[in-house]
Amino acid sequence: MKSVPILDLSYEINELKPQLMQVFENVLDAGTFIMGPNVKKFEQEVADYLGVKFAITLNSGTDAIIIGLLAAGVGPGDEVITTPFTFFATAEAISQVGATPIFVDVDEYTYNMDLLQLEAAITPRTKAIIPVHLFGHTVDMGELLRIANKYQLLVIEDTAQAFGAEYQDRKVGTIGDIGCFSFFPSKNLGAYGDGGLLATNNEEFAMKAAMLRVHGSKKKYYNEVIGYNSRLDEIQAAILRVKLPYIDKWNDGRKLAARTYKELLSGVEGIVLPVEESYAKHVFHQYTIRVKEGRRDEIQAKLDELGVSTMIYYPVPVHKLPVYQSMEIQMPKAEKLASEVLSLPIWPQIDRQIQSYVSSKLIELL
């Protein structure tokens, strides 16, 4: 078999190419490339899909968190609780607005924040919580909101890896005060460039976010606050409009792929398979196993020799990165996961033959 990539976008591109070429042509003919009709239409369509009142498109998922925090009034002197087992941008955004990230260790099976430890991290300076729906698995939002409401804390969901995932039949990213999404090309709903989205039912937050993305102005050249240049390009909005109607089918394809891996790898010694809690509709942005007994790096190197691409998300937990090492804290579960996790190839159209090859090679090496 030819080499297996971690992600293969050629299937979706080939399926959608006639539609994509048409929208490229339409945007070129219209000659509007910034904040045009496709941006406005996509915002309405994605708001309808998610079931929220307001959807504000932005330049990236990172900007969505930064602008979300600012729109909600989080800034210097505030603390924001989040997970150390996530992409750096989650904590980086907190620091960018002048607040302090406070880390809570994770559950080693869902990979999400351990809510049993959350309450102990709350102080009088705590302003918000950023739960991360990691790899597409939903955080237990009912329990998180119970704690947040008890202490009157904002909840800003990092939904970068979980577009279309659900908590008890509600789309994640719509349950807290603000939801932040990424349209990075590898995401379940990805553009062909950078892109992001802020979703909310709070009109004030939406208005502030809409101002912040265009240099702090409601009307061009009449700037009211210091803002950003964080606009989704018209051509990316047009691409996302083509792709949005396919997202449920593609997420179902990822779930089928996850079931196939579970069938092929169940009972194999030396690995731990991902879980799906009863409250969650997991959309498997990644299919991430754990390789035990310190063999992860060896197994990954040998799989690479056999043509099977894998990824480590994430080799260093955020609190151990140089920028935060001065905190001198220990997060034993996150640190353990960072030494064990290995993400296997997955995309919506991956077929059983490819998964059988990947699984058989993994089993041989174990």
Side-chain angles (χ1 to χ4, degrees):
M1 176 175 287
K2 65 178 183 178
S3 61
V4 181
I6 188 72
L7 170 69
D8 192 340
L9 293 176
S10 66
Y11 294 86
E12 73 169 46
I13 291 171
N14 290 331
E15 179 181 5
L16 301 180
K17 186 170 283 188
Q19 297 178 69
L20 293 169
M21 298 307 293
Q22 185 61 59
V23 300
F24 292 160
E25 186 175 332
N26 292 345
V27 172
L28 291 173
D29 288 345
T32 301
F33 303 108
I34 302 292
M35 301 295 285
N38 279 290
V39 169
K40 294 181 178 65
K41 289 176 182 176
F42 176 66
E43 287 179 338
Q44 185 57 60
E45 289 161 2
V46 77
D48 291 343
Y49 173 84
L50 293 170
V52 292
K53 293 179 181 177
F54 307 102
I56 310 299
T57 53
L58 300 164
N59 183 59
S60 67
T62 304
D63 278 6
I65 304 174
I66 293 171
I67 289 175
L69 287 164
L70 292 171
V74 178
D78 295 328
E79 293 178 350
V80 179
I81 296 173
T82 194
T83 165
F85 197 60
T86 180
F87 181 55
F88 172 61
T90 310
E92 179 185 34
I94 298 168
S95 296
Q96 285 278 16
V97 303
T100 301
I102 301 297
F103 298 110
V104 168
D105 209 353
V106 294
D107 175 85
E108 60 186 304
Y109 296 101
T110 65
Y111 311 136
N112 288 329
M113 185 188 296
D114 182 357
L115 300 185
L116 294 175
Q117 300 185 47
L118 173 57
E119 206 160 355
I122 296 171
T123 75
R125 293 175 59 193
T126 306
K127 185 73 173 284
I129 306 169
I130 301 184
V132 179
H133 305 290
L134 197 69
F135 304 148
H137 189 290
T138 310
V139 173
D140 184 351
M141 291 301 294
E143 176 60 13
L144 188 142
L145 285 177
R146 183 191 69 78
I147 297 170
N149 291 336
K150 178 179 176 182
Y151 294 93
Q152 298 183 307
L153 302 177
L154 294 160
V155 174
I156 298 174
E157 298 174 70
D158 182 339
T159 324
Q161 299 182 5
F163 193 96
E166 296 179 1
Y167 170 80
Q168 295 183 349
D169 299 323
R170 291 185 63 187
K171 294 284 193 301
V172 294
T174 71
I175 301 168
D177 297 285
I178 290 172
C180 303
F181 297 83
S182 169
F183 299 129
F184 188 80
S186 65
K187 297 297 193 286
N188 291 36
L189 179 64
Y192 296 142
D194 270 323
L197 179 85
L198 183 151
T200 186
N201 287 308
N202 185 302
E203 185 174 7
E204 179 186 356
F205 293 167
M207 289 181 63
K208 287 181 178 178
M211 287 179 61
L212 288 167
R213 73 174 169 182
V214 286
H215 302 286
S217 63
K218 294 176 185 173
K219 182 180 179 182
K220 193 172 184 179
Y221 303 128
Y222 291 84
N223 309 78
E224 300 177 35
V225 297
I226 301 298
Y228 298 85
N229 180 5
S230 183
R231 301 167 295 197
L232 181 69
D233 289 341
E234 179 76 357
I235 202 160
Q236 299 300 341
I239 291 165
L240 290 164
R241 291 187 67 208
V242 170
K243 296 178 72 171
L244 180 60
Y246 293 84
I247 187 61
D248 288 337
K249 181 180 82 168
W250 289 342
N251 280 342
D252 287 344
R254 288 175 176 273
K255 289 176 68 66
L256 175 61
R259 288 196 295 270
T260 300
Y261 272 134
K262 185 175 181 180
E263 174 193 337
L264 294 169
L265 295 172
S266 287
V268 175
E269 291 188 14
I271 60 173
V272 178
L273 303 184
V275 302
E276 183 174 16
E277 296 290 354
S278 59
Y279 55 76
K281 177 186 174 184
H282 199 330
V283 293
F284 290 97
H285 171 62
Q286 300 294 337
Y287 189 85
T288 302
I289 66 171
R290 290 163 50 201
V291 181
K292 309 285 281 183
E293 299 172 0
R295 298 192 62 200
R296 192 268 313 277
D297 292 350
E298 167 205 346
I299 295 294
Q300 183 186 37
K302 290 182 176 178
L303 284 171
D304 186 62
E305 291 174 5
L306 295 168
V308 176
S309 295
T310 59
M311 290 293 289
I312 298 171
Y313 302 110
Y314 297 96
V316 183
V318 178
H319 69 287
K320 289 292 186 181
L321 292 170
V323 68
Y324 292 126
Q325 275 188 330
S326 61
M327 290 184 173
E328 297 183 345
I329 55 175
Q330 302 298 317
M331 299 276 133
K333 291 182 180 178
E335 292 162 28
K336 181 180 180 183
L337 287 176
S339 70
E340 294 182 348
V341 290
L342 189 67
S343 294
L344 303 182
I346 190 168
W347 57 88
Q349 306 86 355
I350 193 170
D351 64 39
R352 187 183 180 92
Q353 182 182 6
I354 295 173
Q355 291 187 268
S356 295
Y357 177 78
V358 172
S359 300
S360 66
K361 296 305 176 186
L362 176 61
I363 292 167
E364 286 175 17
L365 293 172
L366 288 165

